Amino acid sequence: MKTIEVCPSTLRPGFDTYSPQAIKKLFDGQQVSPYIDIDFEKESDQQQAMENMNNMSISGAQEKFSAIIDNGKICLTHNGEQATYILKPPPFNLSLSTRKQIPANEHLTMQIASQVYGIYTAQNGLCFSSSGQAVYLTKRFDVVDGTKEYAQEDFAAILGMTEEGSDSNFKYNGNYAQIAGAIRQYVPAWMPQMEQFFRLVVFNYLFANEDAHMKNFSLVNRNGEYFLAPAYDLINTCIHIQSGSDLGLKDGLAPDIEKSDVYDRTGHPCRLDFEHFADKIGLPKKRTAQVLDMFMQIPQETYALIESSFLNDKMKRTYRRVIEERLKRFIRPLE
């Protein structure tokens, strides 16, 4: 059984289970065990897991499983049960040598986004199989009181982007200005939502999330009014594999903004490029500066969360190295 010394949700030291803060936010006040009965690495549990996955309607390359809380335990759902949580074990693709570190990576990145940068994220944590393997756990934000109440639509669907033929990578097409345009079109109080979106785009760049594609941003319809969904699927992809692109969309921030000389020379955007992007999507310069100033250095709190995380020591070092390299790109001086 996995030995726990920090809260598997908030990463606060001194807890051998979920902290009171996690119990309140992640489990609505319920006492929940951080240990699950299913082990996704065991062949004997594969059939049950695959039957559950067949009931999932949430898309994505990584396997996801629907779950509920039953008598203080995190359990897979059965037919007809409304899932209130999603479980994401390590990808089943054994060719990725660091796959078992992916749940801890996503959990850490989500916690940094929320705790350090004030990004509105889906509630999340880790749970552990009998073999000690970490499994990422996230609370469904489209389900309230056990009933699916809020319609969620990702920006691939909103922008009419669909898979045509064998083009399974359609979600990586386009640029972030297109998402901003849709926010402005569909969200009545778009300005604060646009700032939230902008902060998330900058965060994804600094924390090397090269999988920030169209389907990883969504709108939620609450009582007939659209809001930007909480951030989800945030992960430092570069500690596992590099796509060759700093940003998750092929056309980057926007195809028609002036690039800085740094961007032209190095192929990597710097702060000025994000200033140009903010101006294009309608953010006031003062608010833009306040957001970007947050990312001009790596706060000590970020390093503390990395150290408390469930990544192994080698991956912690790699995580720090990657974000420090991204910061150098971001603050690189103009010529």
Side-chain angles (χ1 to χ4, degrees):
M1 184 174 290
K2 176 73 174 179
T3 300
I4 298 173
E5 298 178 344
V6 299
C7 171
S9 178
T10 66
L11 292 174
R12 291 187 176 180
F15 293 95
D16 59 5
T17 187
Y18 299 110
S19 63
Q21 181 184 7
I23 290 170
K24 179 180 179 180
K25 291 186 175 182
L26 183 56
F27 299 116
D28 300 318
Q30 298 181 76
Q31 295 282 345
V32 175
S33 171
Y35 303 106
I36 57 176
D37 293 332
I38 190 168
D39 190 338
F40 294 98
E41 299 293 305
K42 291 183 178 179
E43 291 186 11
S44 59
D45 288 346
Q46 288 294 311
Q47 185 61 41
Q48 178 188 359
M50 295 307 294
E51 289 176 358
N52 174 279
M53 190 170 68
N54 290 337
N55 294 325
M56 287 291 293
S57 60
I58 299 172
S59 62
Q62 187 177 352
E63 293 84 2
K64 301 178 178 71
F65 302 90
S66 58
I68 58 171
I69 306 300
D70 185 14
N71 291 321
K73 295 282 289 184
I74 301 166
C75 306
L76 296 182
T77 58
H78 299 290
N79 285 335
E81 287 184 315
Q82 173 61 65
T84 49
Y85 294 86
I86 298 168
L87 291 175
K88 295 171 68 176
F92 289 175
N93 183 353
L94 301 182
S95 65
L96 185 60
S97 63
T98 59
R99 68 182 186 85
K100 291 188 177 182
Q101 296 291 303
I102 287 179
N105 178 355
E106 183 169 358
H107 172 238
L108 169 62
T109 308
M110 291 284 287
Q111 290 298 317
I112 292 173
S114 174
Q115 294 189 41
V116 181
Y117 296 99
I119 294 171
Y120 179 38
T121 61
Q123 295 297 322
N124 62 90
L126 292 175
C127 53
F128 304 91
S129 68
S130 57
S131 63
Q133 174 60 54
V135 176
Y136 181 72
L137 170 75
T138 185
K139 186 178 182 181
R140 292 189 60 166
F141 50 78
D142 60 337
V143 176
V144 178
D145 297 328
T147 303
K148 189 172 183 179
E149 293 188 355
Y150 300 142
Q152 175 189 353
E153 196 162 11
D154 64 58
F155 280 95
I158 291 169
L159 295 170
M161 301 172 66
T162 58
E163 182 175 355
E164 296 181 3
S166 60
D167 184 16
S168 60
N169 292 322
F170 69 97
K171 60 189 178 183
Y172 296 99
N173 296 330
N175 59 80
Y176 294 105
Q178 289 177 283
I179 296 178
I183 292 173
R184 195 162 184 166
Q185 179 180 354
Y186 293 107
V187 178
W190 64 267
M191 182 62 79
Q193 302 287 283
M194 191 72 76
E195 183 177 324
Q196 178 183 329
F197 168 67
F198 177 66
R199 185 179 306 197
L200 182 54
V201 170
V202 180
F203 177 87
N204 279 330
Y205 176 63
L206 267 294
F207 282 80
N209 181 9
E210 296 181 354
D211 202 42
H213 53 67
M214 288 288 183
K215 296 182 75 64
N216 280 344
F217 299 87
S218 296
L219 292 181
V220 174
N221 188 326
R222 296 176 182 166
N223 303 317
E225 187 172 344
Y226 283 104
F227 297 87
L228 191 65
Y232 56 93
D233 288 2
L234 305 182
I235 184 169
N236 184 332
T237 59
C238 285
I239 72 172
H240 302 289
I241 187 171
Q242 294 190 2
S243 69
S245 171
D246 287 339
L247 300 164
L249 296 179
K250 290 180 180 178
D251 295 329
L253 298 172
D256 55 351
I257 60 173
E258 180 184 358
K259 286 186 176 181
S260 67
D261 63 344
V262 169
Y263 202 171
D264 272 334
R265 187 178 75 253
T266 68
H268 307 303
C270 67
R271 173 171 175 148
L272 181 60
D273 297 291
F274 287 94
E275 290 175 356
H276 290 164
F277 174 65
D279 185 60
K280 179 175 180 60
I281 65 178
L283 289 181
K285 293 186 184 302
K286 183 177 180 180
R287 295 301 302 161
T288 297
Q290 290 175 338
V291 171
L292 294 178
D293 285 348
M294 298 173 60
F295 294 97
M296 293 300 288
Q297 61 182 358
I298 299 173
Q300 185 56 42
E301 187 179 359
T302 295
Y303 287 113
L305 287 170
I306 294 171
E307 188 58 34
S308 295
S309 76
F310 289 86
L311 290 172
N312 63 34
D313 289 341
K314 180 179 179 180
M315 296 300 278
K316 287 177 182 179
R317 291 193 297 270
T318 305
Y319 196 105
R320 288 191 290 263
R321 177 181 56 77
V322 167
I323 64 174
E324 287 167 357
E325 174 58 33
R326 286 299 179 103
L327 177 63
K328 290 178 182 177
R329 297 179 186 179
F330 182 69
I331 65 175
R332 186 172 285 145
L334 303 174
E335 290 185 348

